mmCIF file of all heavy atoms in Angstrom:
data_model
loop_
_atom_site.group_PDB
_atom_site.id
_atom_site.type_symbol
_atom_site.label_atom_id
_atom_site.label_comp_id
_atom_site.label_asym_id
_atom_site.label_seq_id
_atom_site.Cartn_x
_atom_site.Cartn_y
_atom_site.Cartn_z
ATOM 1 N N ILE A 10 -161.026 77.742 -86.807
ATOM 2 C CA ILE A 10 -159.811 78.068 -87.554
ATOM 3 C C ILE A 10 -159.671 77.023 -88.660
ATOM 4 O O ILE A 10 -159.727 75.828 -88.404
ATOM 5 C CB ILE A 10 -158.569 78.146 -86.632
ATOM 6 C CG1 ILE A 10 -158.489 76.946 -85.698
ATOM 7 C CG2 ILE A 10 -158.586 79.456 -85.846
ATOM 8 C CD1 ILE A 10 -157.197 76.892 -84.897
ATOM 9 N N TYR A 12 -158.270 74.676 -91.772
ATOM 10 C CA TYR A 12 -157.041 73.968 -92.165
ATOM 11 C C TYR A 12 -156.437 74.693 -93.367
ATOM 12 O O TYR A 12 -157.172 75.185 -94.227
ATOM 13 C CB TYR A 12 -157.362 72.529 -92.580
ATOM 14 C CG TYR A 12 -157.838 71.652 -91.449
ATOM 15 C CD1 TYR A 12 -159.049 70.984 -91.531
ATOM 16 C CD2 TYR A 12 -157.060 71.482 -90.317
ATOM 17 C CE1 TYR A 12 -159.480 70.166 -90.489
ATOM 18 C CE2 TYR A 12 -157.489 70.660 -89.274
ATOM 19 C CZ TYR A 12 -158.695 70.020 -89.368
ATOM 20 O OH TYR A 12 -159.130 69.221 -88.348
ATOM 21 N N GLU A 24 -168.716 81.475 -93.044
ATOM 22 C CA GLU A 24 -168.515 81.464 -91.583
ATOM 23 C C GLU A 24 -167.889 82.780 -91.098
ATOM 24 O O GLU A 24 -168.333 83.371 -90.104
ATOM 25 C CB GLU A 24 -167.617 80.280 -91.233
ATOM 26 C CG GLU A 24 -167.440 80.083 -89.748
ATOM 27 C CD GLU A 24 -166.788 78.736 -89.449
ATOM 28 O OE1 GLU A 24 -167.273 77.699 -89.943
ATOM 29 O OE2 GLU A 24 -165.780 78.735 -88.722
ATOM 30 N N ASP A 49 -155.566 76.736 -88.665
ATOM 31 C CA ASP A 49 -155.237 75.484 -87.971
ATOM 32 C C ASP A 49 -154.160 74.807 -88.818
ATOM 33 O O ASP A 49 -154.450 74.308 -89.907
ATOM 34 C CB ASP A 49 -156.526 74.637 -87.925
ATOM 35 C CG ASP A 49 -156.384 73.392 -87.078
ATOM 36 O OD1 ASP A 49 -155.263 73.080 -86.659
ATOM 37 O OD2 ASP A 49 -157.420 72.732 -86.850
ATOM 38 N N GLY A 259 -169.179 75.287 -88.251
ATOM 39 C CA GLY A 259 -169.980 74.494 -89.186
ATOM 40 C C GLY A 259 -170.563 73.265 -88.489
ATOM 41 O O GLY A 259 -170.062 72.836 -87.449
ATOM 42 N N ASP A 261 -170.377 70.232 -89.113
ATOM 43 C CA ASP A 261 -169.500 69.055 -89.016
ATOM 44 C C ASP A 261 -168.591 69.091 -87.796
ATOM 45 O O ASP A 261 -168.012 68.071 -87.439
ATOM 46 C CB ASP A 261 -168.638 68.917 -90.280
ATOM 47 C CG ASP A 261 -167.939 70.216 -90.671
ATOM 48 O OD1 ASP A 261 -168.562 71.286 -90.533
ATOM 49 O OD2 ASP A 261 -166.767 70.165 -91.094
ATOM 50 N N HIS A 288 -173.664 76.746 -88.470
ATOM 51 C CA HIS A 288 -174.190 76.899 -89.834
ATOM 52 C C HIS A 288 -174.095 75.566 -90.579
ATOM 53 O O HIS A 288 -173.346 74.673 -90.185
ATOM 54 C CB HIS A 288 -173.449 77.998 -90.594
ATOM 55 C CG HIS A 288 -171.979 77.709 -90.772
ATOM 56 N ND1 HIS A 288 -171.504 76.845 -91.713
ATOM 57 C CD2 HIS A 288 -170.888 78.185 -90.116
ATOM 58 C CE1 HIS A 288 -170.186 76.791 -91.632
ATOM 59 N NE2 HIS A 288 -169.774 77.589 -90.661
ATOM 60 N N ILE A 291 -172.384 74.848 -97.613
ATOM 61 C CA ILE A 291 -172.688 75.274 -98.973
ATOM 62 C C ILE A 291 -172.346 74.091 -99.857
ATOM 63 O O ILE A 291 -171.250 73.531 -99.780
ATOM 64 C CB ILE A 291 -171.842 76.479 -99.390
ATOM 65 C CG1 ILE A 291 -172.113 77.645 -98.452
ATOM 66 C CG2 ILE A 291 -172.148 76.859 -100.837
ATOM 67 C CD1 ILE A 291 -171.480 78.920 -98.870
ATOM 68 N N ARG A 297 -171.293 68.510 -100.658
ATOM 69 C CA ARG A 297 -170.563 69.517 -99.888
ATOM 70 C C ARG A 297 -169.397 70.079 -100.700
ATOM 71 O O ARG A 297 -168.634 69.345 -101.318
ATOM 72 C CB ARG A 297 -170.005 68.881 -98.609
ATOM 73 C CG ARG A 297 -169.170 69.860 -97.819
ATOM 74 C CD ARG A 297 -168.483 69.185 -96.668
ATOM 75 N NE ARG A 297 -167.661 70.158 -95.956
ATOM 76 C CZ ARG A 297 -166.920 69.861 -94.908
ATOM 77 N NH1 ARG A 297 -166.903 68.654 -94.437
ATOM 78 N NH2 ARG A 297 -166.198 70.776 -94.320
ATOM 79 N N MET A 298 -169.314 71.422 -100.694
ATOM 80 C CA MET A 298 -168.168 72.053 -101.345
ATOM 81 C C MET A 298 -166.963 71.852 -100.432
ATOM 82 O O MET A 298 -167.022 72.168 -99.249
ATOM 83 C CB MET A 298 -168.466 73.545 -101.500
ATOM 84 C CG MET A 298 -167.398 74.319 -102.221
ATOM 85 S SD MET A 298 -167.850 76.072 -102.352
ATOM 86 C CE MET A 298 -169.258 76.008 -103.423
HETATM 87 N N1 MSP B 501 -159.551 73.083 -88.491
HETATM 88 C C1 MSP B 501 -160.847 72.616 -88.180
HETATM 89 C C2 MSP B 501 -161.547 73.550 -87.206
HETATM 90 C C3 MSP B 501 -160.798 73.757 -85.922
HETATM 91 S S1 MSP B 501 -161.640 74.892 -84.876
HETATM 92 C C4 MSP B 501 -160.842 74.790 -83.439
HETATM 93 C C5 MSP B 501 -161.687 72.526 -89.474
HETATM 94 N N2 MSP B 501 -161.217 73.182 -90.526
HETATM 95 S S2 MSP B 501 -161.913 73.211 -91.985
HETATM 96 O O1 MSP B 501 -161.075 74.016 -92.807
HETATM 97 O O2 MSP B 501 -162.202 71.877 -92.411
HETATM 98 O O3 MSP B 501 -163.294 73.893 -91.754
HETATM 99 C C6 MSP B 501 -163.368 75.199 -91.208
HETATM 100 C C7 MSP B 501 -164.809 75.661 -91.143
HETATM 101 O O4 MSP B 501 -165.288 75.819 -92.470
HETATM 102 C C8 MSP B 501 -165.735 74.659 -90.439
HETATM 103 O O5 MSP B 501 -166.630 75.326 -89.568
HETATM 104 C C9 MSP B 501 -166.486 74.031 -91.576
HETATM 105 O O6 MSP B 501 -167.797 73.630 -91.246
HETATM 106 C C10 MSP B 501 -166.529 75.194 -92.558
HETATM 107 N N3 MSP B 501 -166.751 74.692 -93.906
HETATM 108 C C11 MSP B 501 -165.956 73.887 -94.643
HETATM 109 N N4 MSP B 501 -166.632 73.553 -95.790
HETATM 110 C C12 MSP B 501 -167.853 74.136 -95.783
HETATM 111 C C13 MSP B 501 -168.884 74.274 -96.710
HETATM 112 N N5 MSP B 501 -168.890 73.664 -97.888
HETATM 113 N N6 MSP B 501 -169.912 75.097 -96.373
HETATM 114 C C14 MSP B 501 -169.925 75.839 -95.214
HETATM 115 N N7 MSP B 501 -168.958 75.730 -94.345
HETATM 116 C C15 MSP B 501 -168.009 74.751 -94.504
HETATM 117 O O7 MSP B 501 -162.721 71.891 -89.437
#
Side-chain angles (χ1 to χ4, degrees):
I10 48 173
Y12 293 124
E24 185 168 308
D49 188 351
D261 49 321
H288 62 78
I291 300 188
R297 176 187 179 181
M298 183 180 294

